[in-house]
Amino acid sequence: MASGAFICSDPGIALTTGRLIREGMDSSTYELLAMPIPDLSALVVSTIVPFVLKLVGAVALWIAGGWLIQLAMRIMRKSLRHSSLDVTVVGYLINILAAVLRVILVVAILGFFGIQTASFAALLAGAGVAIGAAWSGMLGNFAAGVFLQIFRPFSVGDFITAAGITGTVEEIGMFVTSLLAPDNVRNIVPNGKLFGDTIQNYSVHGYRRVELVAQLDNSADVGRAIALLKEAIKQVPNQFAGMEADVEVLEFSERGPRLAVRPYTHTSNYWQVYFDTNRMIIDVLGANGFPVPRIPLAMGAN
């Protein structure tokens, strides 16, 4: 047979080809005409249906995996509550474990689609480096959160002053810490700022000192004022048992001697003792005829 001859087993196509040959068309055109038309139903069955089934399976795997992860976290949280670990450490560990399980679930879903997980791991590592460079501050907060858990300068429920904020610690998160101020305002402070600043923890010990001052006039009987205040301060409730309040001469001013009045109490009763002691000072000095402190005329004229 001559080179370039075209053979077709389909009689209809052969007749058409013969007619086209007679009309002078080349063999390449005949080959294009002889190509079979794709079967759309076969394409749907062989490609689209399996992909849709895999997609549905991946969604189902994500939902089921997420539900199982949440169930595991609830069980672990309940079991760790009865352990010796602090509630803050428990929450921190559960958050980290949940994030790790989510990553494993994503890798499993990609493997279900036939994607090479080794390539994904390399991609994830590269993305981690890029994200780390872009979010260096966030990673610093995360590292500070880890150190807060290790060194434990404060725990949930402690009353602290840190990063210029005073309040009760509500939650120590992976990146931020929540503080509830005495005026019932929640402050969200980055862990890096907390850990890099001076931290004052008022709840470490069983009591703290309330520092107040009673101003006397230059003509006042200091000894009598101290005796009256020492006796009256015993009536202020919620003072720390075993610690007597201090009432002594603190310093001198142009108005007269200033007395340090310092009861001791637990942090939770601090403001109640603070206000009650101030009221006691006013009542005692006023009821016993102590004069109102005045600036001497000669000094006032200067």
Side-chain angles (χ1 to χ4, degrees), residues 6 13 16-17 20 25 27-36:
F6 174 73
I13 295 178
T16 304
T17 303
L20 291 174
M25 300 194 68
S27 61
S28 61
T29 306
Y30 309 150
E31 293 179 2
L32 291 175
L33 292 173
M35 290 179 62

Side-chain angles (χ1 to χ4, degrees), residues 30 55 79 166 170 213 292:
Y30 309 150
L55 183 61
S79 61
T166 298
E170 288 189 315
V213 174
V292 176

Side-chain angles (χ1 to χ4, degrees), residues 62 65-66 68-70 72-73 76 94-108:
W62 173 260
L68 289 175
I69 290 174
Q70 291 180 356
M73 293 303 100
M76 181 171 291
I94 288 177
N95 288 336
I96 294 176
L97 183 59
V100 171
L101 291 177
R102 290 285 183 184
V103 173
I104 294 174
L105 179 60
V106 171
V107 173

Side-chain angles (χ1 to χ4, degrees), residues 8 25-26 34 73 80 88 92 120 132 141 182 225 256 293-294 298 300-302:
C8 181
M25 300 194 68
D26 58 8
M73 293 303 100
L80 290 177
T88 306
Y92 210 78
F120 176 75
N141 289 329
R294 296 162 296 176
N302 293 335

Side-chain angles (χ1 to χ4, degrees), residues 103-202:
V103 173
I104 294 174
L105 179 60
V106 171
V107 173
I109 292 175
L110 292 176
F112 179 76
F113 271 103
I115 299 175
Q116 294 294 329
T117 55
S119 301
F120 176 75
L123 180 63
L124 188 62
V129 173
I131 293 173
W135 292 354
S136 57
M138 293 292 291
L139 293 178
N141 289 329
F142 178 80
V146 173
F147 284 116
L148 287 175
Q149 298 298 334
I150 294 175
F151 296 108
R152 304 296 301 282
F154 54 81
S155 302
V156 173
D158 287 354
F159 189 77
I160 68 170
T161 293
I165 304 296
T166 298
T168 302
V169 180
E170 288 189 315
E171 181 183 1
I172 305 175
M174 297 175 64
F175 298 96
V176 297
T177 295
S178 175
L179 299 178
L180 183 64
D183 56 353
N184 205 36
V185 175
R186 174 175 294 174
N187 297 275
I188 308 299
V189 187
N191 287 336
K193 193 172 183 180
L194 275 178
F195 194 70
D197 199 358
T198 301
I199 299 174
Q200 292 180 304
N201 192 334
Y202 303 105

Side-chain angles (χ1 to χ4, degrees), residues 250-271:
L250 176 65
E251 59 186 2
F252 298 92
S253 68
E254 68 276 6
R255 295 175 180 269
R258 303 182 71 192
L259 304 182
V261 183
R262 297 174 174 175
Y264 296 84
T265 185
H266 190 270
T267 298
S268 59
N269 300 317
Y270 179 86
W271 291 110

